Every structure is written in C-alpha cells, then in structure tokens.
Amino acid sequence: MKRSYEEEKSFITRENGQRFRIDPGFVPNMKVPGYFYANDRLEKLTFEELRQQSGGKGGGGFLPAVKQIANVAALPGVVKGSIGLPDVHSGYGFAVGNVAAFDMADPDAVVSPGGVGFDINCGVRLVRTNLTLDDVLPVKEELTQSLFDHIPVGVGTKGMVPITAADLNDVLEMGIDWSIREGYAWVEDKEHCEEYGRMLQADPTKARRAKIRGLPQLGTLGAGNHYAEIQVVEEVYDEQAAKKMGIDKVNQVCIMIHSGSRGLGHQVATDALVLMEAAMARDNIDINDRQLACAKINSQEGQDYLAGMAAAANYAWVNRAMMTFLTRRAFSKKFGKTAEELDMHVVYDVSHNIAKVEQHIVDGDLKTLLVHRKGATRAFPPHHPLIPVDYQFTGQPVIVGGTMGTCSYVLTGTQKGMDETFGSTCHGAGRAKSRNESRKTLDYEAVLGGLEKKGISIRVASPKLVMEEAPESYKDVTEVVNTCHDAGVSMRAVKLRPIAVIKG
C-alpha cells in the first residue's frame, strides 16, 4: 500500500543537530532502527529525494536512500541499526554511504553483495611529498601530462606492467605482499594500508570468471568517479595528527589516487548475486528489495562470496600500489630525484566498499560482527589495535576525496564513531544528480572553463565524463565533512585542494 510523503516522514525523527532516526514500521519487517546523518542543507536533499519517490515497497529500480537504509534494517541478523553517513545516496541494494553489521553468532545472519558494491575495495590512498606549490607550479602542465602518460585511464584500458595468470593468482592471494615481493611497493606502504593491504581469507578459485576481466587491467585507473589528483595542503586543523602523517605545512604537495578492483570486482559481485537468488529461495530468506540478494554468512554461498570478495579486495590494493609505483616514477623523472628523496610515502590507504569481520560493543556486549561498508570509510579511534603504530595517539586517518575541482579532506577516527557508526564515516561528497541528468544539464566547455578559472589542470579520456563528474553533480563535500565532524564520528585534520586532475 502506498503512503503519502507526510505519512512516511512521520516515521523519521531528528535526534539531534546531525542525526535522524528511522523508526521500525517505515518499511516492513524492520528489526532495528535506521539512522542517517545530515546537517540542515543536506537534510533538504535527503528529504527531497524521499518526497519525489515516496510510496511503494520497491524492487525494480533505485529507491530513495532513506528507504534503502530502512530495507537494510530488515535483513536477518542485523544489529543495532542501519546507518547512512552524510554523503548517502541511492545505490544498488544498500544506499551508497550505508553501514550495517550482522551478528556472526546468529545462524540466520546474512552477507549481501549489495552492501559491498560492485567495485569491491574501491578506495583512496594519499601519498605525501616534500615538494611545495612553488616547486610544482612552473612544471604543472608537464607533470600533469606525465601522470596521464604513466597511468592508464578509461574504460577497457590495459595495465603498463604485463602479468601472467600465475602472477594474478598470487596477486589475489597475497595482496600488497605481492607488490612488495615484485618491487612495485615499499615495505612501509603495507603498514599504512587498511588490513595491511591483504585479506588472508582470499581464495582465487572463487573468482574464476573474474580473473579473465582482471588480468589485463592491473595498474589502471578506470573511469567513473576514479581519479588521480595532484593536491596541495590548504589548511591544517589538527597539527599533531597532520605531523604524524608527515604533513607539516600549507602548500605541501600530495597525490591522491582513487580506484578499486575494476572489472574483476564487478564480476565477483555479479556472479555472487546470481547464486544468492537461489540460496534465498532454498533458505526461505525474505527481503524487501530483490537488489538486497543475500545468503547466510555460514552457508556455502556466503563463504564463497566472502573468499572471492577478499581476493578482489587484494587485487584493488595491488592496483593502487601499481599506480603509486607509476606516480613515483613520473615525479622522479620530472624532478630528477628518487621517490625516496621526494619523501613519497603513503599516508594511508582506505577502503570504501568492503565487508569485514570486526569486534564491536553492542548493547554492552562484545560481539563479532560482519560489518558492511558501502561508500563508507572505516574510522577507528586512537589506541585501536588494528591501526598503525604511527597513528595510535591520533586515530586512523580517513581519506575523503572531493569531486573534480573541489577540495578533499583527511579526517581521523573517534571513539564516538566507534560507538555510533561501527567505527565508520563518510567516503566523499555523494551524488546529488544522476549521471544521465548531469549529461543533460551541464555543458562540457563550461565545466572545463570553471576548472581553468580555479587553476586546475585536467587530462580526461572521455569528454562526457567531465559532465558526469562535475562538482555540480555532487553534494558539497565540505558540508558532508562538517556534518561528520560536528556529529563527532570523525574529526577534521587536513584540507587539500586540487591543482591537477587525471580522469578516465
């Protein structure tokens, strides 16, 4: 039965300045409440999406993000709440920016590929340098072109470093350890990767079809919202945290790389969704939206997906490591110094689309949970055993990428985030317009002109991508970050602005 917008809105309560609660009853079978974070400006976008699409149970296309958050709260084994971060927007199954955790001790608890996404372990890494804006400005155009020449971009591109099928198996099993063994990464890089750049439960045999797509694509940026940017530090909010990251001055040059598991991850997800449709029928699993196809965590389908997902995650870490290797080469050639002399160390590498087994306090009890983070970033607090020694007193660095032509941020994790959001925070700006709407309403030349006025060099493989990824297509990343900061689920540390963008 369809309900009016006002009837649906009556299930949503503002708990405080940034957090809203979605009460059970908003959609059928909710086992826990839903929550989402938004300030006054972002609230309007969220409710406008609900108003435009209110009514109905869903199951075909994309539902409003609020309804997707609630549908996740109806999945078997979910605990505490289904959470939407401030960059939340409609996605496949789960909203993008949705976090949910499932009790590993509950035999009915499920894993859902829609809660990870098709680009498994899409993530961002930040590489610092000891260069300044003054060092780079005279050679900015040549450096931008050099990066574009070194890093393969766009749909269907092939990697610069050829690998064999045997190499790919090692990549899927070993993650960044393979990159270190082969000389494409520094030993120190591993310490500054989430999960230390390797998920041990990975099984390459669970990604058989996916390997065909992944073999030629290792070390490629891809298209969509993926990018490599040369950035400069614009503002430091937390000097102690920034210093631990090796960021110690305004106008210091950094490089941000945003990419994932490419076609390999997409195939792993696609194959798993087909198998899980059958598993749901067998195990009588009832869901509100067929895009939330899932399987019991301990079922064969659930375990196979997690092993294949881990293999795809390892591929993504190697993919970003390879592009870091190519970036270091490009900078080294341009400035006539080694990457070590340029201090091109990885600050941190975070994952956006992943499911991981973690321990959290739920209702006063320590529980082992399978935490799904789709379009959300892990943000563990100070003193957590799973973050590097460097960051034990500051909290885990969180790399939040902006949109093409807008600023990016580095945040740090907090205990409040651990308590409220399973140690999670935002991942970026979050779309405000669909890709199709952006292509229809934005002008290619106008977008490029806007970037030029800001002094941003750009190299892009596909002109239509410029409209899809224009700043106007996204929420304001500063509003998103400020909402997380004001809510206390993560804290601002550093603000960066782009001076050059490489896109597919």
Side-chain angles (χ1 to χ4, degrees):
M1 181 182 72
K2 285 193 173 184
R3 293 189 300 227
S4 71
Y5 167 65
E6 290 302 327
E7 287 174 318
E8 295 204 315
K9 194 176 177 182
S10 69
F11 285 89
I12 303 173
T13 304
R14 186 172 202 148
E15 289 191 333
N16 56 43
Q18 295 81 33
R19 184 160 123 144
F20 293 76
R21 185 182 69 253
I22 309 166
D23 289 324
F26 181 72
V27 299
N29 304 317
M30 286 178 69
K31 297 167 178 61
V32 294
Y35 299 94
F36 64 92
Y37 292 79
N39 64 9
D40 291 339
R41 184 173 173 186
L42 298 175
E43 172 192 356
K44 293 173 185 175
L45 291 172
T46 304
F47 280 106
E48 178 60 19
E49 184 188 38
L50 177 64
R51 187 190 66 77
Q52 290 176 352
Q53 302 183 49
S54 61
K57 185 179 177 182
F62 290 111
L63 298 169
V66 171
K67 196 158 287 186
Q68 290 188 312
I69 293 168
N71 281 337
V72 170
L75 288 173
V78 67
V79 298
K80 195 171 180 177
S82 171
I83 301 157
L85 282 312
D87 49 344
V88 71
H89 59 281
S90 297
Y92 186 93
F94 278 54
V96 179
N98 197 173
V99 177
F102 299 81
D103 188 352
M104 297 287 289
D106 184 341
D108 293 325
V110 298
V111 56
S112 175
V116 171
F118 286 94
D119 191 3
I120 294 167
N121 192 7
C122 178
V124 181
R125 83 166 34 190
L126 185 67
V127 179
R128 70 180 189 235
T129 77
N130 54 20
L131 298 166
T132 67
L133 180 61
D134 288 341
D135 296 322
V136 170
L137 274 181
V139 295
K140 186 178 68 165
E141 289 298 331
E142 302 99 279
L143 187 59
T144 306
Q145 186 61 47
S146 181
L147 262 187
F148 191 69
D149 293 340
H150 274 77
I151 299 176
V153 302
V155 177
T157 49
K158 295 185 177 181
M160 300 285 281
V161 181
I163 61 168
T164 66
D167 291 329
L168 183 59
N169 274 330
D170 287 348
V171 166
L172 298 181
E173 184 177 343
M174 297 174 62
I176 200 170
D177 288 336
W178 178 87
S179 306
I180 293 169
R181 186 188 76 183
E182 299 298 321
Y184 296 120
W186 299 350
V187 173
E188 304 95 299
D189 294 348
K190 177 178 179 174
E191 178 73 12
H192 288 169
C193 284
E194 192 171 324
E195 293 294 309
Y196 301 101
R198 179 181 185 180
M199 295 189 81
L200 297 176
Q201 65 268 48
D203 183 350
T205 68
K206 306 306 179 185
R208 282 196 180 93
R209 292 181 65 199
K211 285 190 278 191
I212 298 170
R213 295 181 66 179
L215 184 60
Q217 292 184 336
L218 194 65
T220 65
L221 192 63
N225 62 348
H226 295 162
Y227 59 77
E229 284 189 356
I230 304 172
Q231 303 173 341
V232 294
V233 175
E234 186 167 87
E235 195 167 353
V236 175
Y237 305 103
D238 185 334
E239 290 187 3
Q240 181 186 7
K243 188 174 181 181
K244 284 292 183 183
M245 299 172 199
I247 296 173
D248 55 8
K249 54 183 174 287
V250 171
N251 285 334
Q252 182 175 344
V253 172
C254 298
I255 304 99
M256 189 173 284
I257 298 170
H258 176 202
S259 191
S261 52
R262 306 285 278 110
L264 184 140
H266 196 285
Q267 194 66 52
V268 167
T270 301
D271 292 345
L273 286 167
V274 173
L275 296 173
M276 287 185 181
E277 290 273 2
M280 285 193 302
R282 181 194 65 213
D283 295 335
N284 298 312
I285 299 173
D286 186 31
I287 56 177
N288 289 344
D289 179 0
R290 66 183 302 271
Q291 292 184 354
L292 288 171
C294 55
K296 293 181 179 181
I297 295 171
N298 292 321
S299 69
Q300 189 65 53
E301 293 85 358
Q303 289 297 299
D304 285 353
Y305 169 70
L306 287 171
M309 181 211 71
N314 287 347
Y315 180 97
W317 278 308
V318 174
N319 194 37
R320 291 195 288 274
M322 297 293 276
M323 285 185 280
T324 302
F325 169 77
L326 296 169
T327 297
R328 284 167 171 160
R329 288 187 65 179
F331 270 70
S332 183
K333 285 181 180 178
K334 191 78 232 167
F335 291 100
K337 295 182 178 180
T338 66
E340 290 88 348
E341 289 172 329
L342 293 170
D343 192 35
M344 296 185 73
H345 285 273
V346 174
V347 173
Y348 207 61
D349 181 303
V350 296
S351 306
H352 294 159
N353 293 353
I354 206 160
K356 292 193 293 190
V357 177
E358 297 173 359
Q359 290 190 316
H360 292 269
I361 303 291
V362 179
D363 298 328
D365 295 324
L366 182 66
K367 290 184 177 291
T368 301
L369 308 176
L370 182 65
V371 183
H372 294 59
R373 293 187 181 93
K374 178 179 178 179
T377 311
R378 193 188 77 176
F380 281 174
H383 312 302
H384 195 285
L386 294 183
I387 62 176
V389 172
D390 298 3
Y391 304 131
Q392 279 293 306
F393 293 104
T394 61
Q396 177 204 311
V398 177
I399 317 299
V400 179
T403 60
M404 185 175 64
T406 67
C407 56
S408 297
Y409 289 85
V410 184
L411 316 179
T412 52
T414 66
Q415 186 58 48
K416 188 176 183 186
M418 199 69 178
D419 297 337
E420 285 191 9
T421 64
F422 301 106
S424 311
T425 191
C426 62
H427 86 303
R431 292 199 75 89
K433 293 182 179 180
S434 70
R435 296 183 185 282
N436 188 47
E437 185 182 358
S438 296
R439 287 196 299 271
K440 287 180 178 178
T441 59
L442 298 175
D443 178 72
Y444 170 68
E445 296 294 342
V447 174
L448 288 182
L451 293 172
E452 187 177 353
K453 284 181 182 177
K454 293 179 180 178
I456 300 171
S457 301
I458 182 168
R459 299 293 186 279
V460 61
S462 171
K464 74 173 183 179
L465 197 67
V466 172
M467 287 87 80
E468 292 179 10
E469 299 302 317
E472 296 90 337
S473 301
Y474 285 82
K475 298 177 183 179
D476 185 335
V477 67
T478 299
E479 297 284 350
V480 169
V481 165
N482 286 347
T483 301
C484 290
H485 179 86
D486 293 341
V489 298
S490 55
M491 304 302 288
R492 290 175 312 212
V494 178
K495 180 180 180 180
L496 307 117
R497 65 178 176 87
I499 59 171
V501 182
I502 309 300
K503 290 193 75 72

